Amino acid sequence: MSKIIYTKTDEAPALATRSLLPIIQAFVKSSGIDVDTKDISLAARILAVFPDFLKEDQRVTDDLESLGKLAKNPEANIIKLPNISASIPQLISAIKELQAKGFDIPNYPENPKSDAEKDIRSRYDKIKGSAVNPVLREGNSDRRAPKAVKNFAKKHPHSMGEWSSDSKTHVATMSEGDFAHNEKSLTLNEAATVKIVHTDNAGNTTTLKEGLGLLKGEIIDATVLSVRALFKFIEAQIADAKEKNVLFSLHMKATMMKVSDPIIFGHVVKIFFKDVFEKHEAVFNKIGVNVNSGFGNLLENIQELPEDKRKEIEADIELAYKNGPSLAMVNSDKGITNLHVPSDVIIDASMPAMIRTSGKMWNTKGELQDTKAVIPDSSYAGIYSATIDFCKKNGAFDPTTMGTVPNVGLMAQKAEEYGSHDKTFEIPSNGKVSVIDASGNVLLENTVEAGDIWRMCQAKDAPIQDWVKLAVTRARASNTPAVFWLDENRAHDAELIKKVNTYLKDHDTSGLDLRILAPIEATTFTCERLIKGEDTISVSGNVLRDYLTDLFPILEVGTSAKMLSIVPLMNGGGLFETGAGGSAPKHVQQLVEENHLRWDSLGEFLALAVALEHFSSANNNAKAKVLGEALDTATEKLLENQKGPSRRVGEIDNRGSHFYLALYWAQELANQNKDADLKAEFTVFAKKLADNEAVIVEELSNVQGKPVDTGGYYKPNEVLVNQVMRPSKTFNAIIE
Ligand SMILES: NC(=O)C1=CN([C@@H]2O[C@H](COP(=O)(O)OP(=O)(O)OC[C@H]3O[C@@H](n4cnc5c(N)ncnc54)[C@H](OP(=O)(O)O)[C@@H]3O)[C@@H](O)[C@H]2O)C=CC1
Ligand SMILES: O=C(O)CCC(=O)C(=O)O
Ligand SMILES: [Mg+2]
């Protein structure tokens, strides 16, 4: 029998699940709907790949693998909550926590030498970074703000920082030598099996990858980022930030671009602290400093040095801070800078947050200051500079009047940069890298220098056809203009444009406003419509999907957590993501410190409603449809009555909002007349909830204000965390 699968993930969404899931299961039980869970948390994914290190009773199934298979099956109905895409520091701290809990898993080998270490390293490398989404996303992306959410934001706008025309904030990006400028691309006329070969200047060849099967009609790209150009660029930006007296900040996606971006991150750290690295290089090499994991790695590693050496290095670091521009801070109280940990500043969330805050970031004194946002590769940086220019000219966007920008994003089957992980290489020596087919034809080739980062991407034809179809479907269904954000001057986009023009002919596009604009023009076009209250669908590739589905939601409705985020799977199943953002680590901190969880589960509510609707049509289950419709109405009511979580301790939090969802959902089911059984069942249920509202709300708020222990961060203690997340005896008794 088909089921709805609810994913157990990490951090705030996983905490919320402990409260919400029992409610959901209680509501759907009588309708013959099974809501099962799969654990794809970072901790579970680690345990799943090391059965040989664990005791029999500690072993877990590989739920990600089985979900990946399910996603290719028409029966799939998966509710996917955000999970940690682990940076190395996150991975290491999860490993430590598991080891302390008695799981005898190996350490992460920073410099694997033996075969055994290399095997361990390769298992960990599969877990790190964005390792879940690419496996489950067997479809393209349809993300939008539901009407109720837009209306709520218009009535109750989030705060927006003002923008002034003399803001010194700007984006800095490379004008040569980056991935954008070196890109080569082609479409395959026939299926092929290719290998990737590095040839040095003496003619020695090294095969970087072989046996890579490509399909007919697939677009492939090869490109390289020159480290020499990167160094020159970063040095100039550091000097310029100091001269202009703006904060220096770096914005990368080290999680999703898990091979290239940590390397770039590391280079920026080394250049920023150039004098420190030059002077102490030998020591750093000896103690195994690796700043691809951020400057924090250096600070941690030097702790093991004798005190005088450590003090000397710390003094040199202080000097570097003094001589350089001010760094943007992630947490000025704790001295955490923008360069500390790559997973603290993730571009899709960090740039919009900055734009929402007048283009400012925090300085060391905890004050807001104008910022230089360094985004090394210029492929997509322009959309942020165009948005910033727009705000400088027109002032901040006004959430009470602005339109909306839904997105249709190409991502299925690891499209574009998503699929580059196993085809990205740090190049050992000067020469060239070639993509060569079985007959020896060189399909793509780039000149490289030692240290350059070379990568290849793929976009298969079937996902592209599906994406064009989805764009037309959404444009038609919402009667909204749609813009393909593609640049004819970029090699990859030029190939894609040919396909878009071809596949648009497969659909009835009469009366639709469909256009193709380069990203910067598309941004300005969209923003100009946006301030007039007009809606525009962005139809984009994978990276822009990621950027745009945080950028516009954060400006429009304050957070991308409130987005409806659907992935119609290409084989007919449904993947329903909850919101378009992440796992909000700061929210966990607040819960632990003061037992208040400000996570908003609106994304979960929206996803569940569409999952129920999908379940209904896939299984011919009329009750599921009634449940879904009632849930949607209940969600609207929750917004109207402002029963979403507050940010402040003592006020309604995530758990309180779940109670109100249950109350309204039950009331809607009691009020409907499509299903008599549900009506009867939930009339009783709704009355019980309503009668006990005051008691339950009091029980839920009484617990707040004190620290709590959930027994772990990556793998909390189930008993403790359930107690924390379900503190109302009265509510629990009614649910059970
Ligand atoms: N689909 C996925 O699985 C995704 C996973 N991630 C992962 O999430 C982690 C954190 O990423 P990060 O870039 O910091 O982005 P997040 O989206 O987790 O956080 C950014 C900020 O957005 C706000 N926010 C996000 N979701 C909610 C919500 N449901 N309710 C209320 N506020 C919300 C919070 O603001 P405030 O603190 O001001 O309340 C939060 O600090 C990383 O490990 C990353 O890899 C990121 C994106 C998608
Ligand atoms: O997979 C990830 O690491 C993040 C994905 C993400 O940010 C998104 O899909 O919007
Ligand atoms: Mg994103």
Side-chain angles (χ1 to χ4, degrees):
M1 203 199 72
S2 83
K3 292 175 181 174
I4 294 179
I5 304 288
Y6 203 88
T7 51
K8 264 180 87 177
T9 58
D10 307 282
E11 297 181 326
L15 290 169
T17 297
R18 266 81 177 204
S19 158
L20 184 57
L21 188 59
I23 300 174
I24 296 173
Q25 284 166 331
F27 271 73
V28 302
K29 201 161 104 190
S30 63
S31 299
I33 304 168
D34 200 1
V35 181
D36 211 351
T37 57
K38 289 279 179 201
D39 191 346
I40 53 169
S41 64
L42 179 58
R45 288 185 285 124
I46 294 174
L47 295 179
V49 298
F50 290 108
D52 43 337
F53 286 76
L54 298 174
K55 295 186 205 118
E56 190 77 43
D57 64 342
Q58 292 178 322
R59 293 184 189 156
V60 301
T61 48
D62 191 338
D63 283 9
L64 177 60
E65 194 189 9
S66 64
L67 271 188
K69 285 190 188 136
L70 178 63
K72 294 183 180 157
N73 187 315
E75 288 213 334
N77 188 337
I78 305 168
I79 297 180
K80 159 67 176 63
L81 279 74
N83 61 281
I84 292 178
S85 293
S87 62
I88 297 295
Q90 285 170 306
L91 185 60
I92 289 174
S93 80
I95 295 169
K96 276 197 189 136
E97 181 178 327
L98 289 168
Q99 289 170 336
K101 292 197 156 110
F103 297 95
D104 198 15
I105 50 169
N107 286 327
Y108 180 79
E110 292 267 7
N111 297 300
K113 296 208 172 69
S114 66
D115 283 352
E117 281 175 348
K118 283 183 191 154
D119 166 56
I120 291 167
R121 170 68 180 255
S122 86
R123 294 198 225 177
Y124 276 130
D125 282 351
K126 277 193 205 111
I127 297 166
K128 83 175 182 208
S130 180
V132 169
N133 290 323
V135 173
L136 302 184
R137 290 175 171 171
E138 282 290 322
N140 292 305
S141 156
D142 168 10
R143 289 183 179 176
R144 50 197 138 105
K147 251 225 155 55
V149 169
K150 262 316 259 188
N151 289 342
F152 175 80
K154 286 184 174 169
K155 245 198 259 169
H156 308 280
H158 54 278
S159 66
M160 288 282 259
E162 278 178 26
W163 269 88
S164 74
S165 55
D166 56 12
S167 163
K168 287 191 282 184
T169 289
H170 61 274
V171 171
T173 192
M174 293 169 76
S175 53
E176 57 171 346
D178 61 351
F179 290 129
H181 287 85
N182 290 328
E183 187 173 78
K184 295 182 179 171
S185 182
L186 60 81
T187 303
L188 289 165
N189 292 325
E190 290 304 331
T193 301
V194 301
K195 58 181 176 177
I196 302 170
V197 177
H198 172 250
T199 310
D200 71 13
N201 284 343
N204 303 310
T205 60
T206 313
T207 302
L208 301 173
K209 189 173 180 71
E210 55 192 342
L212 175 62
L214 300 171
L215 302 176
K216 181 178 174 188
E218 191 157 349
I219 298 175
I220 56 169
D221 330 317
T223 187
V224 58
L225 181 123
S226 151
V227 271
R228 205 151 47 94
L230 176 72
F231 271 62
K232 206 171 117 199
F233 164 73
I234 297 294
E235 276 172 356
Q237 296 314 317
I238 290 171
D240 188 59
K242 180 151 177 100
E243 195 196 308
K244 295 204 167 86
N245 191 26
V246 290
L247 299 176
F248 179 92
S249 67
L250 176 67
H251 302 261
M252 305 289 300
K253 187 96 183 182
T255 49
M256 208 161 106
M257 299 298 110
K258 70 179 180 185
V259 183
S260 57
D261 285 19
I263 301 173
I264 298 171
F265 199 99
H267 285 316
V268 176
V269 174
K270 279 182 235 152
I271 302 167
F272 194 91
F273 295 99
K274 195 174 171 188
D275 295 343
V276 179
F277 276 86
E278 270 171 13
K279 186 165 162 198
H280 302 286
E281 197 177 357
V283 179
F284 293 164
N285 286 342
K286 210 167 116 210
I287 59 175
V289 167
N290 181 355
V291 285
N292 291 9
S293 302
F295 187 60
N297 178 279
L298 186 154
L299 295 179
E300 232 168 69
N301 271 301
I302 60 171
Q303 296 310 316
E304 66 179 65
L305 290 172
E307 192 175 332
D308 53 338
K309 191 74 209 169
R310 197 191 76 225
K311 289 232 156 102
E312 183 196 335
I313 295 172
E314 281 169 353
D316 289 334
I317 291 171
E318 275 316 304
L319 198 65
Y321 277 133
K322 223 176 103 208
N323 292 341
S326 301
L327 266 178
M329 302 301 284
V330 168
N331 185 331
S332 51
D333 295 340
K334 294 192 180 145
I336 312 261
T337 73
N338 170 268
L339 295 179
H340 261 59
V341 192
S343 50
D344 271 355
V345 183
I346 304 182
I347 184 166
D348 56 340
S350 63
M351 284 302 296
M354 176 184 114
I355 294 171
R356 192 183 52 187
T357 316
S358 316
K360 296 175 197 287
M361 291 180 77
W362 301 98
N363 64 24
T364 41
K365 289 182 228 144
E367 299 157 346
L368 289 169
Q369 189 178 336
D370 286 346
T371 305
K372 176 190 284 292
V374 174
I375 304 173
D377 179 39
S378 61
S379 299
Y380 308 103
I383 67 140
Y384 294 119
S385 46
T387 308
I388 287 171
D389 288 345
F390 192 85
C391 291
K392 284 183 189 169
K393 191 168 147 212
N394 299 285
F397 287 97
D398 179 356
T400 65
T401 55
M402 73 194 288
T404 189
V405 186
N407 175 268
V408 173
L410 173 62
M411 68 176 186
Q413 299 176 357
K414 305 197 175 94
E416 299 185 331
E417 288 88 335
Y418 239 13
S420 66
H421 299 163
D422 59 348
K423 297 184 271 312
T424 303
F425 305 97
E426 197 171 15
I427 298 303
S429 57
N430 294 5
K432 60 186 180 181
V433 174
S434 327
V435 179
I436 305 170
D437 74 10
S439 324
N441 300 313
V442 174
L443 303 182
L444 297 166
E445 191 166 80
N446 310 88
T447 305
V448 294
E449 291 181 335
D452 286 358
I453 306 166
W454 184 93
R455 80 170 180 216
M456 176 179 163
C457 304
Q458 310 163 236
K460 298 193 192 345
D461 186 60
I464 296 170
Q465 292 196 36
D466 179 82
W467 169 65
V468 171
K469 180 175 159 205
L470 186 58
V472 175
T473 310
R474 290 305 313 153
R476 178 71 70 198
S478 59
N479 192 22
T480 304
V483 178
F484 286 84
W485 293 45
L486 297 171
D487 182 356
E488 60 184 7
N489 294 316
R490 194 183 146 192
H492 168 79
D493 286 10
E495 294 300 305
L496 205 49
I497 287 172
K498 286 185 224 163
K499 285 187 186 279
V500 168
N501 285 327
T502 304
Y503 296 139
L504 277 176
K505 295 191 192 113
D506 295 342
H507 307 282
D508 171 17
T509 58
S510 56
L512 296 180
D513 181 350
L514 301 173
R515 24 183 123 194
I516 297 175
L517 294 174
I520 292 178
E521 286 77 58
T523 308
T524 309
F525 175 78
T526 302
C527 289
E528 269 161 7
R529 293 175 50 84
L530 209 45
I531 52 167
K532 287 187 273 178
E534 291 169 351
D535 307 340
T536 318
I537 299 172
S538 63
V539 187
S540 72
N542 205 347
V543 174
L544 282 178
R545 164 200 64 77
D546 181 40
Y547 291 8
L548 300 179
T549 59
D550 260 349
L551 176 62
F552 290 115
I554 286 173
L555 299 177
E556 290 175 33
V557 302
T559 159
S560 58
K562 299 181 175 177
M563 300 298 282
L564 181 59
S565 197
I566 302 176
V567 184
L569 296 170
M570 285 173 60
N571 275 347
L575 172 67
F576 306 100
E577 300 197 22
T578 74
S583 51
K586 274 188 279 174
H587 293 198
V588 188
Q589 250 173 44
Q590 189 185 14
L591 177 90
V592 170
E593 281 162 18
E594 49 188 31
N595 200 0
H596 177 93
L597 183 64
R598 68 177 188 266
W599 175 262
D600 192 332
S601 292
L602 201 73
E604 286 97 288
F605 306 157
L606 299 168
L608 177 62
V610 278
L612 286 167
E613 195 187 329
H614 184 81
F615 188 94
S616 168
S617 51
N619 299 287
N620 211 358
N621 178 323
K623 286 184 192 299
K625 190 165 161 66
V626 175
L627 283 164
E629 284 168 357
L631 174 57
D632 259 339
T633 321
T635 304
E636 268 176 56
K637 195 162 157 193
L638 184 112
L639 283 169
E640 251 163 53
N641 293 351
Q642 298 197 57
K643 297 297 185 192
S646 137
R647 299 172 62 88
R648 265 186 307 272
V649 62
E651 298 175 2
I652 184 171
D653 80 344
N654 177 268
R655 297 162 290 190
S657 79
H658 292 169
F659 163 71
Y660 280 102
L661 182 84
L663 175 65
Y664 299 152
W665 193 6
Q667 287 173 340
E668 289 307 320
L669 288 166
N671 289 339
Q672 55 79 33
N673 289 310
K674 287 182 184 160
D675 188 291
D677 299 338
L678 286 173
K679 189 176 179 76
E681 177 187 351
F682 284 95
T683 301
V684 180
F685 198 61
K687 182 166 183 320
K688 273 195 212 162
L689 290 172
D691 288 349
N692 288 284
E693 176 179 347
V695 183
I696 293 172
V697 170
E698 196 183 306
E699 285 175 355
L700 291 176
S701 67
N702 273 350
V703 297
Q704 291 195 34
K706 295 177 279 285
V708 280
D709 181 13
T710 55
Y713 191 88
Y714 295 97
K715 190 169 173 48
N717 175 301
E718 284 306 321
V719 175
L720 291 180
V721 73
N722 279 305
Q723 275 167 5
V724 169
M725 289 310 301
R726 304 187 66 200
S728 165
K729 284 195 189 72
T730 313
F731 189 34
N732 297 350
I734 299 175
I735 290 296
E736 268 138 36

